Amino acid sequence: MSTLRVGRAAAALTAIVLTAPIVRAQNPTAVAQPPRTQEFGVDAGALIGLGDQSSFSVNLPAARARIGFFLSNESRWSIEPAVALSYNKVENVDGVFTYNLEVGALRHFAPPQNVVAGASNAVRSSVAYVRPFVNLTGFSGGASDNEFSAGAGLGIKTPFRADAALRFEANAGYGFSNEAFRLGAFAGVSFFTRNLIR
């Protein structure tokens, strides 16, 4: 290879190396993905227990708080832990601390970008999802007890502004300690940390 060709190749390589940072600066999405969207929400809830001892409970205005982590901004999957905590104390009686810890995995039937839109001309629409979950419920105080349960829910997210959506879900689960079948329902609101559409 001649000295002239080597010189031209070196000049071309130098030009590529020097201009790459400028191109990346003009297009930051080419350098790194934007932060993953998170979904924060609270739900009111109702629960019917069917077993040896039937039960019914309603929690308003909020039965639990939750946060969802999308696997990526284009993924139809999100992982969602939820929690409900309460403490009750009556004079001359031991206080009772109750907890409800849950982890679910949401599979959206349509791209979740449909729910929240960053572009003014984007069309937002409701998105249905299925949510399998596991749950640990219990209390502690003068006595203590807990129960592990598992189930699944079917729900829908309906946008009402660019970074928020209403959320409704019906679910069913099974408690393994008291062998009770449960039917539940949630109605809540979700807020997103960033628009799902880039």
Side-chain angles (χ1 to χ4, degrees), residues 40-43 62-67 80-85 100 102:
F40 291 88
V42 292
D43 299 312
R64 64 179 190 158
R66 52 182 165 75
I67 178 172
E80 185 178 81
V83 62
L85 304 171
N100 188 317
E102 188 172 281

Side-chain angles (χ1 to χ4, degrees), residues 6-194:
V6 171
R8 287 180 181 172
L13 183 59
T14 302
I16 291 171
V17 170
L18 292 176
T19 58
I22 297 171
V23 171
R24 286 197 298 268
Q26 292 174 347
N27 185 13
T29 58
V31 179
Q33 290 291 324
R36 293 178 187 171
T37 300
Q38 296 175 352
E39 176 184 352
F40 291 88
V42 292
D43 299 312
L47 182 67
I48 300 173
L50 306 172
D52 292 339
Q53 279 191 316
S54 297
S55 62
F56 176 72
S57 66
V58 176
N59 290 288
L60 299 171
R64 64 179 190 158
R66 52 182 165 75
I67 178 172
F69 301 91
F70 286 87
L71 300 187
S72 74
N73 287 328
E74 290 78 28
S75 175
R76 294 192 183 194
W77 284 98
S78 66
I79 304 299
E80 185 178 81
V83 62
L85 304 171
S86 68
Y87 180 78
N88 293 297
K89 176 72 171 80
V90 178
E91 188 176 0
N92 299 323
V93 178
D94 290 335
V96 177
F97 174 71
T98 60
Y99 55 89
N100 188 317
L101 310 174
E102 188 172 281
V103 177
L106 279 72
R107 167 65 177 174
H108 299 82
F109 293 132
Q113 291 94 328
N114 290 17
V115 176
V116 180
S120 59
N121 60 350
V123 177
R124 292 179 291 150
S125 61
S126 297
V127 173
Y129 66 87
V130 64
R131 185 181 70 92
F133 62 86
V134 293
N135 182 289
L136 179 66
T137 303
F139 66 89
S140 62
S144 63
D145 192 15
N146 59 57
E147 180 178 45
F148 177 77
S149 62
L154 182 63
I156 189 166
K157 299 177 184 180
T158 301
F160 66 89
R161 67 179 216 189
D163 60 351
L166 298 175
R167 181 165 148 174
F168 304 95
E169 178 184 307
N171 56 65
Y174 182 79
F176 295 97
S177 293
N178 62 9
E179 300 180 349
F181 184 72
R182 297 190 179 100
L183 300 175
F186 289 120
V189 61
S190 293
F191 298 94
F192 300 86
T193 56
R194 64 175 301 282

